[in-house]
Amino acid sequence: MKDETRKIDIFDTTLRDGEQSPGCTMNLHDKLLVVEHLEGLRVDVIEAGFAAASEGDFEAVRKVAAAAKHAAVASLCRALPKDIDRAWEGIRHAARPRIHTFLATSPIHMRFKLKMAPDAVYEQAVKMVRYARNLCGDVEFSLEDASRSERPFIYRVVEGVVAAGARTVNIPDTVGYAVPEEFARLIADIRANVDMRGARLAVHCHNDLGLAVANSLAAVRAGADQVECTLNGIGERAGNAALEEVVMALATRREAYGVRTGIDATRIYAASRCVVQVTGNRVQANKAVVGENAFAHEAGIHQHGVLANPLTYEIMTPESVGVPKNRMVLGKHSGRHAFEARLRELGLFSFTPVQAQELFARFKGLADRKKTVSDTDIEALARDVQSPVVERVKLTSFNVLASNAVTPMSTVRLAVDGKVMEQAATGDGPINASLAAINKMLRCRDVTLETFKLNATTGGTDALGEVDVSVRKGNRVVRGHGSSTDIIEASILAYLHALNALMGEGEKR
Ligand code: KIV
Ligand code: ZN
């Protein structure tokens, strides 16, 4: 039977607003991995990036546009001809290209940022939407900081850009200032006061007050047709509305909202894990839907209830969001079939035959050292194997002298383009000393370590240590990742990974 309920479009901006947030930089290879998941989820629109921002962003937008077969692909651009042209250049070969242009409409933004009078903002918005429509049949216009804009001006701009050809008009809560009742009123008022001529109304909420999902849902109830969101809620400052939360709220409380999305929710968990892997940003254990504890029942009374009937304490099943059930423990006796089945459950599927071979060999090597290999161990190995960086500099060996009585010292031996070099240095700790030795050896004076994150994949002392770093050279920031049961080695590998990415062109494929 055909589903007659109103369809809400899911516009994913993980690769644009998400990637814009500190520590979430993704390289091209990472972005294409995320696209595979977004396509699997069946999101309606993938915002690929900001094509005019840099050559790298442009290239990423172009590659995402070519990779997406189902979703529309949008590039964000300022309401300026040169930005719009660049966006169009980036997406024009997509199956369904969309130009997404924006201009701020709030008094504070117009006065202090744009230094433009409202009439000039109105004219520019209308003119640029018309300009974009001459290039692309699908144009979205966003009224930046709409939630702090004045009603009559919002109506005027929405009406003007719709008449100029915008097919979607987005009402962002750019600074995360709105509260649900007020935001719902704004959407309902736009619906009541503007002839949308069939254009869709979108919302884009930031989470500064922890209300991004609540505001998005309130807007849907008030008549919004499209929700803009990100996986794991990553995004500028406190983030954007989390895709998994919006989708599962609409699905679980379907009777309350009376709408549907086209999302395959069983792909959520794997997509979320992928974003954790490529950004190095873990989700908190109690994060709704995708957190480690989202389906864990600790209290005895809860466990008893769930055993009697899962619905006592579970409003959605773990399987409904793709959390794998009844996992087999993987260890040194596990065969290739079991290992590959786990990779698929974790959403790790795009390996070349050579990578698949290497991954299995590394899994076996780790299983020899550890009794059981966890999912996070496997994800870390997969990420290392899939790294597209050309390894001009390789770690040969290191030797650390550390105690609480002497200054730590590390001697690192590297193969640089095949030539073996060695250097020793002291530091505040063995990791600091090792990185100092590398810097000295490679003369990395203009390279700064911006972030360093160390995680143990599981609770045990035999866990893999996973290290994520970001390294800056001029205005280029790259991320590096390394994993090992030895955290000093993991740190050295992560740092070398980033240095290798900075050298050469970076990408193999
Ligand atoms: O938060 C915001 O206003 C945005 C727009 C540019 C869509 O990201
Ligand atoms: Zn935003």
Side-chain angles (χ1 to χ4, degrees), residues 199-217:
R200 289 173 81 72
L201 195 55
V203 289
H204 173 115
C205 298
H206 279 271
N207 207 28
D208 301 66
L209 294 174
L211 292 170
V213 171
N215 286 336
S216 305
L217 294 174

Side-chain angles (χ1 to χ4, degrees), residues 16-17 174 204 206 236 240:
R16 199 277 298 168
D17 219 322
T174 302
H204 173 115
H206 279 271
E236 278 278 348
N240 288 59

Side-chain angles (χ1 to χ4, degrees), residues 428-492:
D428 290 339
I431 294 173
N432 186 246
S434 301
L435 302 201
I438 293 171
N439 284 343
K440 222 159 131 188
M441 192 169 2
L442 302 178
R443 299 185 212 291
C444 299
R445 275 182 222 99
D446 47 354
V447 171
T448 46
L449 180 70
E450 291 223 317
T451 60
F452 178 93
K453 284 184 228 159
L454 168 64
N455 277 312
T457 52
T458 48
T461 50
D462 63 348
L464 268 192
E466 271 200 274
V467 175
D468 277 282
V469 298
S470 59
V471 166
R472 174 181 289 279
K473 182 173 185 181
N475 52 15
R476 242 190 113 199
V477 178
V478 295
R479 291 188 44 238
H481 176 263
S483 61
S484 166
T485 43
D486 179 324
I487 57 168
I488 303 169
E489 183 172 21
S491 307
I492 295 175

Side-chain angles (χ1 to χ4, degrees), residues 13-334:
T13 183
T14 305
L15 300 180
R16 199 277 298 168
D17 219 322
E19 207 241 356
Q20 238 164 273
S21 59
C24 287
T25 317
M26 295 174 222
N27 63 29
L28 177 57
H29 175 260
D30 295 339
K31 287 185 180 178
L32 293 176
L33 282 181
V34 175
V35 169
E36 278 185 41
H37 285 277
L38 294 174
E39 288 269 275
L41 280 165
R42 297 273 168 180
V43 302
D44 298 279
V45 188
I46 296 172
E47 186 157 63
F50 202 132
S54 71
E55 218 25 70
D57 287 62
F58 174 77
E59 212 32 54
V61 168
R62 227 169 49 83
K63 293 266 168 52
V64 171
K69 301 291 173 249
H70 301 285
V73 176
S75 172
L76 186 68
C77 47
R78 289 174 300 175
L80 296 171
K82 65 174 183 358
D83 275 32
I84 295 173
D85 289 343
R86 197 73 176 139
W88 175 235
E89 209 40 53
I91 55 164
R92 62 187 302 170
H93 298 298
R96 294 168 53 213
R98 174 181 294 191
I99 293 178
H100 179 192
T101 188
F102 72 99
L103 196 56
T105 52
S106 64
I108 184 165
H109 276 234
M110 290 190 289
R111 180 157 173 224
F112 294 101
K113 186 182 83 176
L114 300 175
K115 301 191 182 2
M116 282 167 84
D119 281 347
V121 167
Y122 172 83
E123 295 301 334
Q124 180 79 359
V126 169
K127 200 163 127 197
M128 288 303 105
V129 167
R130 213 172 278 133
Y131 183 87
R133 261 313 291 272
N134 279 332
L135 299 171
C136 181
D138 186 1
V139 173
E140 170 167 340
F141 180 81
S142 286
L143 291 81
E144 194 190 8
D145 205 18
S147 55
R148 294 191 299 169
S149 303
E150 285 164 2
R151 286 287 205 281
F153 192 56
I154 294 178
Y155 303 155
R156 185 175 166 216
V157 174
V158 174
E159 203 151 274
V161 295
V162 165
R167 292 251 194 94
T168 306
V169 182
N170 181 28
I171 306 298
D173 181 25
T174 302
V175 291
Y177 177 72
V179 293
E181 312 74 45
E182 179 189 276
F183 198 58
R185 187 76 261 147
L186 172 60
I187 299 304
D189 286 349
I190 294 172
R191 281 262 174 243
N193 288 283
V194 182
D195 176 5
M196 294 291 293
R197 303 182 190 210
R200 289 173 81 72
L201 195 55
V203 289
H204 173 115
C205 298
H206 279 271
N207 207 28
D208 301 66
L209 294 174
L211 292 170
V213 171
N215 286 336
S216 305
L217 294 174
V220 165
R221 201 195 283 281
D225 307 297
Q226 172 177 295
V227 174
E228 305 198 351
C229 44
T230 57
L231 285 162
N232 301 341
I234 63 171
E236 278 278 348
R237 305 180 308 278
N240 288 59
L243 178 149
E244 61 279 6
E245 295 178 23
V246 171
V247 167
M248 289 317 288
L250 294 179
T252 309
R253 300 303 312 278
R254 199 164 166 171
E255 81 300 340
Y257 288 96
V259 298
R260 71 194 158 90
T261 69
I263 298 296
D264 177 356
T266 63
R267 308 289 291 261
I268 283 178
Y269 181 72
S272 158
R273 301 296 315 161
C274 174
V275 171
V276 169
Q277 284 299 307
V278 301
T279 60
N281 266 18
R282 296 193 152 205
V283 293
Q284 79 219 37
N286 65 340
K287 163 87 178 58
V289 185
V290 293
E292 204 177 308
N293 295 347
F295 297 98
H297 303 279
E298 178 77 25
I301 196 162
H302 287 204
Q303 289 172 346
H304 178 235
V306 169
L307 287 174
N309 180 342
L311 292 179
T312 48
Y313 286 100
E314 250 175 33
I315 57 164
M316 54 192 160
T317 62
E319 304 86 74
S320 68
V321 295
V323 174
K325 208 180 162 189
N326 298 331
R327 301 291 192 70
M328 267 183 300
V329 173
L330 293 182
K332 69 176 177 182
H333 300 299
S334 304

